[in-house]
Amino acid sequence: MKTKPFEVWKEDIKPALESKVEEFHRFGYTSVKEEDIWALTMKKLQKEEVSLRIHSLVQAVLHLSIRDYMNDVTIASYKESASLYSSETALQELLEDIDAGGSSDRHLT
């Protein structure tokens, strides 16, 4: 399901977003912002079949749990680490290739 139609209601459900952010802050997750809640809600709605009604959107926001948020953050962290690792590996291989190719061509006198 595409979440684009929900964008028109983003401002209308701002009180629900603010409420969810306050809830997370009360539990100590003070770095959570409205945009984080919105993005996570959109991700969840893409996986589910939800009717295109404003009450479905509000329900999705209010049913987000800290577990949902932490799972999303953890998965994003793993993906970032994996891409960083593969980039480091590629860089290391490139440096080794340069080192191997360059050392045979250079002679110190």
Side-chain angles (χ1 to χ4, degrees):
M1 182 187 129
K2 295 185 180 187
T3 57
K4 195 73 171 161
F6 287 118
E7 291 288 332
V8 297
W9 290 322
K10 187 175 181 182
E11 283 302 312
D12 294 332
I13 67 151
K14 193 166 178 68
L17 292 169
E18 290 170 352
S19 175
K20 188 50 76 168
V21 168
E22 288 173 13
E23 176 186 330
F24 278 45
H25 286 188
R26 272 182 276 149
F27 285 107
Y29 296 90
T30 56
S31 63
V32 177
K33 300 175 188 82
E34 284 181 28
E35 282 304 314
D36 300 328
I37 298 296
W38 179 258
L40 182 55
T41 302
M42 293 299 105
K43 278 184 190 177
K44 286 188 68 104
L45 289 175
Q46 286 177 344
K47 296 177 184 177
E48 302 171 6
E49 285 191 32
V50 179
S51 62
L52 283 173
R53 297 183 179 179
I54 193 166
H55 71 271
S56 298
L57 179 56
V58 172
Q59 179 181 4
V61 169
L62 295 179
H63 278 92
L64 285 179
S65 67
I66 292 173
R67 184 192 68 201
D68 295 330
Y69 175 75
M70 291 307 297
N71 285 344
D72 189 60
V73 169
T74 303
I75 290 168
S77 176
Y78 285 150
K79 286 180 180 178
E80 185 178 323
S81 294
S83 68
L84 180 61
Y85 176 74
S86 65
S87 297
E88 286 179 7
T89 303
L91 178 61
Q92 186 62 34
E93 290 173 0
L94 177 62
L95 290 174
E96 288 172 2
D97 287 346
I98 291 171
D99 218 15
S103 63
S104 63
D105 294 336
R106 278 186 273 158
H107 298 285
L108 296 175
T109 56

